[in-house]
Every structure is written in structure tokens, then in C-alpha cells.
Amino acid sequence: MLSSVQRAWYVLLLLLVATPASAQMGGMERMARAATVTTPPVVDGILDEAAWSNASALSDFIQRVPSDGTAASEDTEVRIVQDGSALYVGVWLHDSSPSGIIPGESVRDYNLEQSDAVVLILDTFRDQQNAFVFGTNPAGIEYDGQVANSGQGGGRFFGGGGGGNQRQQSGSGGGFNLNWDASWDVATSQDGNGWYAEFRIPFSTLRYGAGTEQVWGLNVVRRIRRLNEQSFWSPVPREFDQHRLNYAGALGGLEPPVQRLVQVTPYALQKADRDYKGPGDSFDYETEVGGDAKVQITQGLTLDLTYNTDFAQVEVDEVQTNLSRFSISFPEKRPFFLENAGRFSVGAGGADLFFSRRIGISSGGPVPILGGGRLSGRAAGLNVGLLHIVTDEVEGLRPQNEYSVIRFARELPNRSRIGGAYMRRASDETDDWNRTIAVDGQVGLGEAVSISSFLARTETPGLGGIQGGYTTRSFNGTLSFREIGADFNPELGFLPRSGYRYGQIFGMTYIRPENFLGLREIRPHTSYFEYRDIDSDFVQSARWHVDTHFEWQDGMEFHPGFNWVKEGIQTSYEIHPGVFVPAGNY
């Protein structure tokens, strides 16, 4: 007898087979061409070099909000040139009220929705699902990230254990990895006619296919904060965002070099320690050496190597407060794991089957990484992720372990894909190992409907889920079902709770009144989710949410809302010596 999740998976496979063979494009495709120059511009934010006169201007930006489909309120011009090593993008952001330009903060990856900004999206494989993002604000910050799966990170997920809600907290599983930091340059300037941005993006920073002359997907986004306006060079409907890559235009004339770069980052640490309470007055000295290497196997395939890894310079985690009884997740910020992190992502919401922070960290403390390798990118038409890492023994805490991951996926037209994954942990102790096998897929039906699902198991029957989303200009809804067995144990993943069935429904409608109290949009919506114990059908958690967002033309919002929350405790447990939470419904 097939379970409900297995039946749903067979339906998904049938839909994948029936997916149309041609990708849907968002109307008439806009075209651009990169001019080749021998003397590249100087990246100083002042666009006065002769190189820019060789390129035609991209203009006629179209609003997405507040008045979708209409011309942008201010003129924007974009010119693109290239030399043998980099892509250069110059942007003229004209403004009739330059005193109203909001520069934003000078912090890398600062939220560009809070300032004026310009963002570039480069779909280098032109698969309409993966892209590189580079942006800046008038303060001249570097804002970059990688888009995977058209920015879709498994749909909405409600309930404890999902991690933080901030974009930086979502990591690769959120569909857009803002924690990826590349090597590139940008500079800005401002005068009485507006502000200007000048980008230099080395080809070595990007990953792309083979070929002497290539065509990439391209879109450029401008935000004028005081007007609460967002406009696109290649128009994107209001119901989608900049990560909906099938609406991007095309950038032709590109001649990226064929290169096999090798980057090595060694380190050496000298330690000295002395026990002042013990006998003797000498110091003990210890030296550590190690490093990382990045090898470009092909233009689209990268090999990362590490030995005696040192993560001392990694950015600290943002503080999260957890008032639930379930674990929360923190995003990966260690550089070794960040490039193409979306290639390894499988699962969704509260069941991420590969979570790289399981490697090299245990009980909140570091575990020494002896060495390993990581191959990621694209080969033979497949998205590929291979990883093998060996961690050292921590006396009294963990034995020596090996971690292996094999992940592959095939992208199909119209936001569809199918893939599989294998994950294994094994220690040097007898019968101490764990493995997970999974398959996943997604199918896009037209522009409004997306259905995704995954099915996985460890050594005992385990996990499966299916979810669907429907998005139009006036309505947005999702429906999800997930089932996780009590014995399911993906030790390389993130699973805050097990042994449950999860159901969730969400619906939001968009009302755009004309000339009513200065309102731009009213968004009434409701959602309900529920966790039930897989054996007893006991309700572990549930929430009903009713809310309405009122948004004015200047961006001010008012959210009156109502929440009904239920928590069910099946067995009393201790939260402090002598303090127990009794069983019951709360």
C-alpha cells in the first residue's frame, strides 16, 4: 500500500514528464549587447571614460511597483562593456530631486529595500533558475548573492524550528544565498542630476558554460526609496520579484575567457602557552599550518580543497532568541561551504536534508577539520554537488568522522527540475554511521502554479512532503503536506522535530484602491498550520493567523492581526532543576 506522500510523488513525476519542452518567457524579450574595449574604464563612480561611448544604452525601465506596467518616474541608463578579464557595467541613475536620494548604510549586504539602489542579475547559464546578483546603493556598498531555483526556497513554512526570518538567516535553502561574498569592485558618485554606479565584475568570479560567444540572461533593477518605486529594464509582473529569471532579458556579444584559475590561501598560526601555577617558567609552543585552495576545473565546475581548516575570520552569527522547545538553525557563513551552496540544497522548510553546519561544529563548539574537498557547479547538463570531509576526534565528545554528499539535479523548462541526493556520515568506531537517500522534484504549470515534492529515507522509513503554490497579480496561496517518521534521522541535515504529520494552508489577496486615503495596497490574508503526532494523532502545535497589511504610497505600513496558538505537551519535561512543564494543551 502506497502512502499519501508516495502517491503524491508519482503524480509529480507524471507532471514532470508532461512539462512543455520550451521555456515560457515573460512576453517580448529585451536584448542587450556588451561592447568590447581595449582600454577599460576606471572604477571610480565617475562615468566619463571614452569606453562607455562604445556601448549602447539600456533604458526605458518599467515599473513593477507602485504602478506596474507603466514607465519609471525617473530615467535610468545602463551601458555594458568587456575586456579580456572582466565585465564592466555603468549605470546613470538620473533624478529630478537629487536631495531626496536616500544613500543607505555603508555595510556590505545591507538591505537595499531601505535605500535607493541598483541591482544586476546575471543568469550566466541562461537556465532561468540560477543567477549571480550584484548591487549597490548611493553609499557604494557591495551587495551580492547567488540565486538558486528561481529564488524559491521550498515555499512558505510556518512553525517552530524553521530558523530566523531575516534574509541573511535563510542561507542557500531559502533560494537566495546572501551570505555568498564574491571578489568584485563597485564605486558610486552623486551630483545635481542624480547618482551613478560603476561595476567591475571579473569573469573569474562568475561560472558559465563553454563557447567563444555567449548569451546570458540579464536584468537590471532600480529602487527609488522616497517614491517606494521599483523598476526593471526587462519588465517583471507585480506578483513576482527580481529572482523570477524567465522574465530576464538577454545579454549577447559576450566573450568570456577560457581559464583554469587556481587560488591558494595558506595560513600559519603560532601559539604559546604557560601554566603559571605549575612548576617551571618556560612556554610551550605549538605551530599550525593549513589552508584552502580553489581550482576551476571547467568554466562551470569548481573544486574547493581544505586542509587543517581555520575558520577564525568567519563572520559571527546574528543573535536569535529561541523561546520554543525546538531547535533553530543558523545559516552557513564559512567561505569554504558557500560557493554554489544551492547545488547541495534538498528538502524544505523544517526538514533540510543537508545542513553543512553539521560538519566541523558540535554542541556549539568547533570540531577540527582535517581536510576534504568539495566539487560543485554544472557538468553534462546537470547541477552537481560532491563533498567529502574528514573531521578529527574531540576527546570525550566525538570520534573521528567522515562526511560524504552526492547531489545532482536536472533542470527542465518552465521552473521544473528533478534530482537526487545521497548523504553519509561514518566514524572510525564500529557500527557508528548514518546515511540518507532522497529524490526531489518541482514542476511549473504555466506562470501561476508551482508544485514541489521530496521523498527521503534513512535506515528506517522516514520522510516525504509535497507542496504547491499559486501566484497571480491579485492572489497568492500555498498548500503543503509533510510526513516525517519517528525514526527518521538525517544526521547531516536539520530536523528540529520528528514523528509528525504537518499540514499548512495560506492565502492572501491584493486590493489596490484608487484615491482612497493615500493607500497603495491592502493585503488581507490568513494561514493555518498544524503538527500532529504520527502515531497518536495528538496535536503538537497549531496556529491560525488572520492579518491585513495596509500599505501607503510612501511605504508606511500598518498590520492589525490576530493569532490563535496551541501547543500540546504529551509528556511532562524539565526546563530547570525542579521546574517542570506538565503535560496538557496550552
Side-chain angles (χ1 to χ4, degrees), residues 180 292 294 304 311 313-315 332-339 374:
W180 175 76
D292 299 332
K294 187 181 292 291
D304 291 282
F311 293 127
Q313 302 302 316
V314 175
E315 178 185 357
E332 180 62 82
K333 295 189 176 183
R334 297 172 292 178
F336 176 79
F337 294 100
L338 286 180
E339 180 166 347
R374 182 176 177 275

Side-chain angles (χ1 to χ4, degrees), residues 102-125:
I102 299 176
E105 296 187 16
S106 300
V107 179
R108 182 162 191 160
D109 291 334
Y110 170 75
N111 187 353
L112 295 184
E113 294 181 359
Q114 303 304 317
S115 67
D116 283 57
V118 61
V119 178
L120 314 175
I121 299 102
L122 296 173
D123 179 1
T124 56
F125 288 99

Side-chain angles (χ1 to χ4, degrees), residues 213-391:
E213 182 168 339
Q214 300 186 19
V215 178
W216 296 352
L218 169 72
N219 216 338
V220 185
V221 188
R222 180 182 182 180
R223 175 173 288 277
I224 304 176
R225 184 65 188 92
R226 73 177 184 279
L227 302 178
N228 204 20
E229 178 180 308
Q230 186 187 51
S231 59
F232 286 70
W233 170 65
S234 183
V236 174
R238 188 187 194 109
E239 60 266 29
F240 305 124
D241 62 16
Q242 64 197 39
H243 300 153
R244 191 64 175 250
L245 302 176
N246 63 304
Y247 285 95
L251 175 62
L254 292 164
E255 299 177 355
V258 177
Q259 49 192 358
R260 300 288 187 271
L261 299 179
V262 178
Q263 177 183 339
V264 180
T265 308
Y267 80 88
L269 294 177
Q270 178 70 56
K271 300 179 182 179
D273 64 83
R274 173 185 169 187
D275 184 1
Y276 283 90
K277 292 184 178 181
D281 57 0
S282 63
F283 284 85
D284 293 327
Y285 295 94
E286 181 182 352
T287 301
E288 288 189 16
V289 295
D292 299 332
K294 187 181 292 291
V295 182
Q296 200 167 341
I297 304 298
T298 68
Q299 303 308 121
L301 203 59
T302 303
L303 174 64
D304 291 282
L305 300 171
T306 187
Y307 168 71
N308 198 20
T309 316
D310 174 48
F311 293 127
Q313 302 302 316
V314 175
E315 178 185 357
V316 298
D317 290 316
E318 297 179 13
V319 175
Q320 296 189 59
T321 301
N322 182 17
L323 300 179
S324 75
R325 54 199 163 119
F326 304 104
S327 299
I328 59 176
S329 65
F330 289 85
E332 180 62 82
K333 295 189 176 183
R334 297 172 292 178
F336 176 79
F337 294 100
L338 286 180
E339 180 166 347
N340 292 324
R343 307 291 194 198
F344 292 86
S345 180
V346 58
D352 295 307
L353 302 186
F354 176 64
F355 184 53
S356 59
R357 287 185 64 132
R358 294 294 186 203
I359 303 173
I361 301 176
S362 179
S363 302
V367 175
I369 293 180
L370 296 177
R374 182 176 177 275
L375 184 68
S376 62
R378 178 167 299 199
L382 296 175
N383 292 337
V384 177
L386 305 175
L387 178 146
H388 185 75
I389 297 287
V390 180
T391 60

